[in-house]
Amino acid sequence: MSAALLDVEDLHVHFPVFRGFVQRILGGGDVKVHAVDGVSFSIAEGEVFGLVGESGCGKTTIAKTLVGLVRATSGRILFRGDDMTHPDPKTLFHVRERIQLIYQDAHAALSPAMTVGEATADVLRTHGLATETGERVAPKSEADLRQAVYRIFDDVGLRPPAFYYDKYPDELSGGQKQRVVAGRVLALRPELIVADEPVAMLDMSVRARMLEFLMELKAKHHLTYLFITHDLATAKFMCDRIAIMYLGRIVEMGPARTIYANPKHPYTRALLQAIPIPDPERRTKKVLPRGEVPNAIWPPAGCRFHPRCPVALATCGWEGRDVIALLEERWLSPELAGREALAGPVEEWEANGLVARRDVGKSDPAPVQVLIRKIVQETGGPLGDAIRDIRVEGSTILVEFRPPDSLVPKAVEGRVVECLLY
Amino acid sequence: MTFDTPDGPVHAVTDVDLTIEKGTTVGLVGESGCGKSTLGRAILRLLPENARISGTVRFDGIDLSSRSPKEMRDLRGRNIAMIFQDPMTRLNPLMRIRDHFIETIQAHDPNVRPEAAVKRALKVLADVRVPADRMNMYPHELSGGMRQRIMIALCLLFKPALLIADEPTTALDVILEAQILQLLQSIMHEYDMAVLLITHNLGLVAEFADRVAVMYAGRIAEEGATVPLFREPYHPYTQGLLRSVIDLDTTKLYSVPGAPPSLLGESVGCPFYPRCEKRMAVCEAVFPEIRLVGEDHRRVACHLY
């Protein structure tokens, strides 16, 4: 494999959350969305590297950070060895000639008030025409510029170019708009194209055509792709290597073929299993992870997937709030809710790190303690095993967990996995 | 069904015959603009002013087209309910969840007191596995999955015989999508409810539907039982659509050539003619009426059969 084109090292991107004046005075520290929380990967020249995950996993934030639309909180981004983590405006201008972004929504990426020809010409006016030697020269005349746009349109299959030049975006189909966007990106002769869900908005019958088109462009212009998608099937087809992301972390990364043949991380397995299979004769009962992706402001301790993981261990990161979630889930059954009313309501429980607590006020805490013990015992599993102590302090019941084992990415059978099972 | 527009009439849905048996799921598939959502709305007469409808919709043997607007209002939600793609835009951001339930119940039974309505709502909420304390929250405080569960719960209040689900999971991630579909499936059995599942996702239809109707350019191209239709699609469009699905077994990409036609103005011949790989001379001039083909009650609109 050739040298790395892009290196991302321990990238963190946090967004501050705006809070009201009173809340800020009351304190509670800085509240941040941990959109990307310690991500490292590198992309070799000529490769298609896939970032795959569900909404909110941080994949688009990474894309935006790479082209300087979002500032990295910490970590490094190296492009051909040059540090471009925090580029000054002039460097950023040139970074964007080398790294370009194709967005999901081609319609939103094009100005409705400009013809697509003008929109493309505008890029050339700003950045100049790319020459064979890699230099950029200012266009000599408007006619010269128009010819350059024609060449680009011809290149991306918008033929005859003169016909498309004067079209407005709403006169074109989704696929054609995506071609205009691709043309505008190619006008800069970038080395790396970040394609963020480039086919998600297209209808199924034309999606394949767009993917083929992207692969043709790649071959013709010797491009490298960072392909961002939530669709594991498309990623499997397109990518040489993939990284599966969950809540701001990469959980599994390696050659696409290796991962699809034998996924190791429980989250990767869950994702693969959830894909609907277009074959009614292969219907299977799916075992899905519990609940939903948690909030990225307070990501779960330890492995972020542990509250939903079907094979979690006692050391995976169980903490106070997991007990509260357990009670809530149990009491979805009206029968259990009635029988265990003494331990609730859920709103009176409060979690702080490894501890969950409830102040029972004037009532006797001892029976509540017994009931919680019984509930935990009945539930069993890793959560129960992770509890250090269920005790009473004054009028408060406390459930305390053991701290989790430290989690580091490990090489497992040709890929890297961040999971305590390995 | 036709929409009058400044550019002329748009024939959104043309000559569609579709039957949904009690307690079954029919998948209505097609690409954007094929008329699938319009058809779903037409059943409930949820259409804009410029829509003109002809034909009849029968529900439980009763012709709905003769119903007054007031009678239709009572039928919606009570007998036929509908869930939409984006639950966030369907819930009122200024209303607590409990008030959505109270409002829905009182819309049909004005004499029900709020406390009684809440009690009824809590039963349904447990069925869709939403914790009771969510009742006091506002829509923005809930996750996407919770919101869609609440939309489903609102639909279930009157135990409707038919649920029209228009892209119910398209806004959701794949794991959540699978969770919601599992939920819908168990509720369907529990409530003995038929579902019209409107989607562009053939995978969902394959996993979920008893019968499938494939729409193209406002018409049904092919309709039949799910298993035989997926095993051997007859209509060239269905064949193309199934071939173009990208799944984990895809080794070669395929896309249907061309793009769907405009539905503006009158058309003759088969609407799929320009994109069809098996087109014949007759296809350009004569529209293929939908007819029974083969043995499994399959209906196909194609001159090949």
Side-chain angles (χ1 to χ4, degrees), chain A residues 85-100:
Chain A
T85 318
H86 297 292
D88 56 73
K90 192 160 174 287
T91 321
L92 185 59
F93 185 83
H94 293 293
V95 163
R96 286 185 178 152
E97 288 166 356
R98 304 169 78 184
I99 306 180
Q100 269 290 312

Side-chain angles (χ1 to χ4, degrees), chain A residues 53-56 173 201 203-209 211-212 230-234 236-238 260 267 270-272 274-293 305 308 328-329 332-334 346-347, chain B residues 31-32 125-126 129-134 143-146 149 173-179 182 200-210 226-227 230-231 237 241-242 244-258 275:
Chain A
E54 299 182 284
S55 24
S173 74
M201 304 275 281
D203 269 322
M204 193 48 83
S205 76
V206 294
R207 219 172 255 194
R209 205 178 309 156
L211 294 175
E212 272 166 352
H230 69 282
D231 178 6
L232 278 154
T234 307
K236 183 183 181 196
F237 193 85
M238 291 292 285
Y260 284 97
Y267 178 65
L271 270 182
L272 281 169
I275 301 178
I277 302 166
D279 182 354
E281 291 170 82
R282 276 165 55 197
R283 284 184 191 173
T284 48
K285 182 89 185 137
K286 294 173 176 173
V287 184
L288 298 167
R290 293 181 290 272
E292 295 177 50
V293 183
F305 189 56
R308 310 177 66 200
E328 194 165 52
E329 204 182 306
L332 276 173
S333 141
V346 168
E347 298 89 80
Chain B
E31 300 178 277
S32 14
L125 271 190
R129 307 202 61 72
V130 172
D133 67 324
R134 303 296 194 277
S143 64
M146 280 295 160
R149 282 165 196 266
D173 278 313
V174 26
I175 291 176
L176 206 50
E177 171 173 76
Q179 287 174 346
Q182 270 187 359
H200 67 283
N201 190 333
L202 285 160
L204 292 190
V205 169
E207 293 200 341
F208 201 59
D210 302 305
T226 308
V227 171
F230 273 79
R231 190 184 292 162
Y237 176 63
L241 205 57
L242 279 171
S244 61
V245 172
I246 301 165
D247 66 7
L248 291 171
D249 301 324
T250 302
T251 48
K252 198 174 175 327
L253 292 177
Y254 175 81
S255 48
V256 181
R275 304 176 73 188

Side-chain angles (χ1 to χ4, degrees), chain A residues 356-400:
Chain A
R357 69 178 82 224
R358 176 175 166 236
D359 193 332
V360 293
K362 291 210 171 67
S363 41
D364 182 10
V368 183
Q369 184 191 16
V370 172
L371 181 57
I372 293 291
R373 279 224 172 95
K374 190 175 146 262
I375 290 173
V376 167
Q377 208 164 30
E378 246 177 59
T379 314
L383 182 142
D385 298 341
I387 291 176
R388 169 179 282 166
D389 197 12
I390 301 174
R391 63 177 186 276
V392 175
E393 277 177 16
S395 61
T396 306
I397 314 281
L398 288 116
V399 182
E400 194 190 343

Side-chain angles (χ1 to χ4, degrees), chain A residues 4-285:
Chain A
L5 181 69
L6 181 81
D7 275 304
V8 172
E9 294 170 4
D10 198 27
L11 181 70
H12 290 254
V13 184
H14 299 170
F15 297 108
V17 177
F18 176 79
R19 297 204 302 163
F21 171 73
V22 179
Q23 276 177 312
R24 265 180 290 162
I25 290 200
L26 290 176
D30 275 352
V31 178
K32 289 179 197 139
V33 175
H34 300 74
V36 179
D37 219 11
V39 162
S40 305
F41 62 90
S42 64
I43 305 178
E45 194 155 6
E47 190 176 40
V48 180
F49 181 79
L51 272 183
V52 187
E54 299 182 284
S55 24
C57 73
K59 55 195 195 300
T60 296
T61 303
I62 292 180
K64 288 186 174 172
T65 313
L66 292 180
V67 292
L69 291 171
V70 163
R71 275 179 72 87
T73 309
S74 67
R76 288 210 306 168
I77 300 169
L78 304 172
F79 191 77
R80 291 201 189 282
D82 298 335
D83 192 322
M84 39 154 279
T85 318
H86 297 292
D88 56 73
K90 192 160 174 287
T91 321
L92 185 59
F93 185 83
H94 293 293
V95 163
R96 286 185 178 152
E97 288 166 356
R98 304 169 78 184
I99 306 180
Q100 269 290 312
L101 190 56
I102 296 181
Y103 291 97
Q104 171 172 168
D105 187 350
H107 188 74
L110 293 167
S111 162
M114 264 172 128
T115 64
V116 295
E118 268 307 299
T120 310
D122 218 37
V123 174
L124 300 175
R125 265 188 215 111
T126 311
H127 285 273
L129 302 177
T131 60
E132 290 307 315
T133 55
E135 281 166 274
R136 284 167 209 277
V137 292
K140 286 192 273 302
S141 64
E142 279 302 302
D144 197 24
L145 194 62
R146 199 175 244 272
Q147 284 307 319
V149 175
Y150 282 1
R151 280 196 297 279
I152 290 164
F153 277 10
D154 190 65
D155 192 32
V156 293
L158 292 167
R159 299 187 198 111
F163 172 78
Y164 286 100
Y165 192 96
D166 293 314
K167 293 277 183 204
Y168 285 93
D170 63 290
E171 296 174 276
L172 302 179
S173 74
Q176 287 166 336
K177 275 182 279 205
Q178 204 56 289
R179 280 169 194 263
V180 172
V181 170
R184 207 165 56 157
V185 159
L186 287 174
L188 295 172
R189 299 275 171 94
E191 292 158 86
L192 174 68
I193 290 186
V194 181
D196 190 0
E197 303 271 16
V199 298
M201 304 275 281
L202 300 177
D203 269 322
M204 193 48 83
S205 76
V206 294
R207 219 172 255 194
R209 205 178 309 156
M210 190 66 208
L211 294 175
E212 272 166 352
F213 166 69
L214 288 172
M215 292 314 274
E216 275 165 36
L217 287 182
K218 175 181 181 294
K220 196 153 82 182
H221 298 281
H222 312 289
L223 295 166
T224 304
Y225 283 138
L226 173 58
F227 192 83
I228 295 176
T229 182
H230 69 282
D231 178 6
L232 278 154
T234 307
K236 183 183 181 196
F237 193 85
M238 291 292 285
C239 302
D240 302 310
R241 282 193 313 132
I242 60 166
I244 309 280
M245 286 191 74
Y246 184 75
L247 260 184
R249 303 273 308 171
I250 290 176
V251 296
E252 183 161 4
M253 173 164 71
R257 209 172 302 165
T258 315
I259 291 181
Y260 284 97
N262 183 9
K264 290 289 179 196
H265 199 285
Y267 178 65
T268 316
R269 290 188 185 155
L271 270 182
L272 281 169
Q273 208 207 157
I275 301 178
I277 302 166
D279 182 354
E281 291 170 82
R282 276 165 55 197
R283 284 184 191 173
T284 48
K285 182 89 185 137

Side-chain angles (χ1 to χ4, degrees), chain B:
Chain B
M1 167 150 28
T2 307
F3 291 112
D4 289 315
T5 72
D7 299 325
V10 170
H11 302 287
V13 176
T14 312
D15 289 341
V16 166
D17 281 315
L18 190 65
T19 306
I20 304 168
E21 299 285 342
K22 204 169 178 305
T24 63
T25 302
V26 173
L28 187 60
V29 278
E31 300 178 277
S32 14
C34 74
K36 55 188 192 301
S37 288
T38 310
L39 181 59
R41 284 157 180 269
I43 295 171
L44 285 172
R45 270 200 267 155
L46 290 170
L47 293 166
E49 293 272 301
N50 62 348
R52 279 185 285 137
I53 318 182
S54 59
T56 53
V57 178
R58 272 177 206 286
F59 175 74
D60 227 356
I62 302 157
D63 184 0
L64 297 188
S65 42
S66 60
R67 291 266 183 126
S68 70
K70 189 175 169 298
E71 286 172 320
M72 278 308 287
R73 261 204 305 279
D74 194 48
L75 175 125
R76 292 183 199 124
R78 188 190 287 280
N79 306 99
I80 307 179
M82 185 155 183
I83 44 173
F84 300 90
Q85 181 173 150
D86 184 358
M88 192 60 190
T89 59
R90 301 289 157 181
L91 295 168
N92 185 335
L94 299 178
M95 271 165 66
R96 289 178 197 273
I97 299 305
R98 59 185 299 130
D99 296 324
H100 285 88
F101 282 97
I102 296 170
E103 187 186 68
T104 308
I105 292 171
Q106 288 184 340
H108 294 282
D109 301 331
N111 299 323
V112 176
R113 292 155 50 105
E115 305 80 60
V118 167
K119 226 172 137 190
R120 229 161 107 187
L122 283 173
K123 276 202 201 105
V124 186
L125 271 190
D127 283 345
V128 297
R129 307 202 61 72
V130 172
D133 67 324
R134 303 296 194 277
M135 283 289 265
N136 295 319
M137 295 189 175
Y138 287 95
H140 79 270
E141 296 177 275
L142 302 172
S143 64
M146 280 295 160
R147 278 184 220 131
Q148 196 60 301
R149 282 165 196 266
I150 282 163
M151 287 304 299
I152 295 171
L154 284 166
C155 288
L156 295 176
L157 282 171
F158 293 92
K159 302 195 189 306
L162 173 64
L163 177 71
I164 301 174
D166 188 0
E167 303 270 13
T169 57
T170 305
L172 305 177
D173 278 313
V174 26
I175 291 176
L176 206 50
E177 171 173 76
Q179 287 174 346
I180 295 285
L181 285 172
Q182 270 187 359
L183 174 75
L184 264 180
Q185 214 151 15
S186 70
I187 277 172
M188 247 187 83
H189 291 127
E190 216 168 298
Y191 284 72
D192 191 24
M193 183 172 70
V195 175
L196 177 65
L197 176 68
I198 302 173
T199 179
H200 67 283
N201 190 333
L202 285 160
L204 292 190
V205 169
E207 293 200 341
F208 201 59
D210 302 305
R211 290 184 77 81
V212 184
V214 180
M215 277 190 84
Y216 186 77
R219 296 169 184 266
I220 290 183
E222 180 164 5
E223 191 258 341
T226 308
V227 171
L229 188 139
F230 273 79
R231 190 184 292 162
E232 194 193 350
Y234 290 161
H235 197 289
Y237 176 63
T238 318
Q239 292 169 359
L241 205 57
L242 279 171
R243 268 180 78 189
S244 61
V245 172
I246 301 165
D247 66 7
L248 291 171
D249 301 324
T250 302
T251 48
K252 198 174 175 327
L253 292 177
Y254 175 81
S255 48
V256 181
S262 153
L263 299 176
L264 192 68
E266 303 304 322
S267 61
V268 288
C270 174
F272 190 57
Y273 166 79
R275 304 176 73 188
C276 186
E277 288 176 352
K278 293 176 182 160
R279 63 178 165 239
M280 305 173 288
V282 58
C283 304
E284 191 178 8
V286 183
F287 177 79
E289 292 297 334
I290 192 159
R291 62 184 137 242
L292 277 170
V293 176
E295 284 162 8
D296 54 352
H297 295 283
R298 184 99 58 103
R299 292 185 301 144
V300 186
C302 180
H303 287 303
L304 285 172
Y305 304 97

